[in-house]
Amino acid sequence: MEAQRGRTDRRRFLLIAAIPLLTAGAGTAYAVWPGPARPGPRVRTDLEPLNARFGPYVGTLGEAHWLGYDIDEKPGSAESRTVPSPDSRIRLVGVARLTAGGAAAVTGKAEYAFAPAAAPSALPAELVPYAPAGATWQHSRRFDAYANHEGAEGRPSGEYLFDTARDLVRFDLLYLYT
């Protein structure tokens, strides 16, 4: 009987010792297992943030399709920064409709010297359906400098393109927050 008891005690000891090891292993596996991918940025249609940021320069927007996202965060990544880094770079890109005559009011100001734009930069795939294929874009570096002036929130850089026939503004801006 004594030999039987020693064998049972050894099994019990091994079982008790293995439980913390198995628990730690399972916890580690759960922590490193890839989770579901987060979708990329979603197309937004709200006007308040856009009108507040650059409405004073381009005029009141009546309709918009746009994205705003941190370019340093991988789209579709399960990783998401909950606290912005000290040097966040937020891209604001989209197409918006101005009130009737709004694009002509901006492009008609002689001090900006608007001219036909070269091929604009590619839009993110989510926004392509909202940009008209036959748009005749006009651009002005002087207007960009005016709208992206030094005192603006977040130190923006980027460009604004206008289509006077459709009263559209296409914007692709980068805000650096330091």
Side-chain angles (χ1 to χ4, degrees), residues 118-141:
S121 59
L123 284 172
E126 299 91 343
L127 293 174
V128 170
Y130 305 106
T136 306
W137 299 110
Q138 295 184 43
H139 178 247
S140 165
R141 289 182 191 265

Side-chain angles (χ1 to χ4, degrees), residues 18-167:
I19 289 174
L21 291 174
L22 289 172
T23 304
T28 302
Y30 178 76
V32 298
W33 195 269
R38 225 173 24 103
R42 65 174 177 74
V43 175
R44 297 177 59 175
T45 58
D46 49 328
L47 299 174
E48 296 82 18
L50 299 179
N51 278 323
R53 286 194 186 263
F54 54 82
Y57 311 109
V58 302
T60 304
L61 305 176
E63 175 187 348
H65 294 91
W66 61 282
L67 300 172
Y69 59 94
D70 189 330
I71 66 170
D72 295 318
E73 193 171 297
K74 295 180 183 119
S77 162
E79 301 171 14
S80 176
R81 293 185 290 175
T82 55
V83 177
S85 70
D87 293 325
S88 293
R89 297 181 303 162
I90 307 299
R91 184 180 184 197
L92 198 62
V93 57
V95 178
R97 185 168 310 282
L98 300 166
T99 57
V106 174
T107 59
K109 294 183 180 176
E111 66 265 24
Y112 299 130
F114 274 88
S121 59
L123 284 172
E126 299 91 343
L127 293 174
V128 170
Y130 305 106
T136 306
W137 299 110
Q138 295 184 43
H139 178 247
S140 165
R141 289 182 191 265
R142 291 181 191 168
F143 180 82
D144 293 344
Y146 163 70
N148 296 328
H149 68 280
E150 190 75 27
E153 178 186 342
R155 291 197 340 212
S157 62
E159 67 179 10
Y160 300 85
L161 303 172
F162 293 87
D163 178 8
T164 56
R166 294 177 179 89
D167 278 314

